[in-house]
Amino acid sequence: MHPNQGWQPRQPPGYGPPPGWGPPPKPSTAPAFLAGGLWLLVSVLCFVLAGLNTADGVGQTPRAAVALIGIMLPPGIVGNGDAVIAATYTAGGVVLLLVVLLFARLGFARWIAAALGFLVVVYYIFAIVRLTTFHGGTFIIVPGVALLLWLAASMVSVLPPVGRAMR
């Protein structure tokens, strides 16, 4: 009889391949879904801010209107405010599309979302500084929350575990 036929000898505990050998464990997909969830919150925020100011223009809710993307730019660029409502709706829609791509774990979507996010973060920093210099300190709460949410989503998107989760 051949020695490898029949039963397989059992190895005593402590024998076998050392820990860490063999195929690497599959990375968790949780960071990708965390990043997507944060971007989903950003998209909802954009739709809520734009929706609050759609009916009667930006004068309807002034504390929320100052958080619209582009409202703090000079009046010659912005015009009557409809453009910033459209820009905020557009940003929310683009982010929502990127959320779908993030949930599908397509790696390029996190870089596009992060680039857009950091661009909007720079705008919100400008808006908060402009509000502060024009003595609108009580109006910086909503833009501050929006800044923190966009910054958190952007920072989480560029973390290495999110990149590993996309594979």
Side-chain angles (χ1 to χ4, degrees):
M1 176 177 231
H2 192 273
N4 288 334
Q5 287 179 326
W7 62 279
Q8 294 291 327
R10 299 189 100 187
Q11 293 181 346
Y15 287 95
W21 284 34
K26 187 171 175 127
S28 172
T29 58
F33 288 108
L34 173 68
L38 284 172
W39 284 115
L40 186 63
L41 287 175
V42 167
S43 178
V44 167
L45 176 73
C46 287
F47 288 135
V48 167
L49 288 174
L52 284 174
N53 295 289
T54 299
D56 294 328
V58 294
Q60 184 178 354
T61 55
R63 293 195 188 277
V66 294
L68 291 170
I69 298 172
I71 194 74
M72 295 308 295
L73 295 173
I77 296 172
V78 174
N80 64 356
D82 290 340
V84 297
I85 293 171
T88 306
Y89 271 130
T90 303
V94 168
V95 168
L96 189 59
L97 173 68
L98 292 170
V99 164
V100 170
L101 296 175
L102 278 170
F103 284 154
R105 293 182 33 215
L106 296 174
F108 70 91
R110 77 183 182 114
W111 293 111
I112 296 172
L116 175 66
F118 286 126
L119 184 67
V120 173
V121 163
V122 169
Y123 165 73
Y124 275 122
I125 291 171
F126 164 76
I128 289 173
V129 167
R130 188 167 168 119
L131 277 170
T132 305
T133 57
F134 288 133
H135 305 293
T138 60
F139 287 87
I140 65 171
I141 294 171
V142 178
V145 168
L147 168 72
L148 292 176
L149 190 57
W150 278 88
L151 184 62
S154 300
M155 292 297 290
V156 166
S157 291
V158 298
L159 291 175
V162 176
R164 285 190 294 272
M166 294 291 175
R167 296 182 191 147

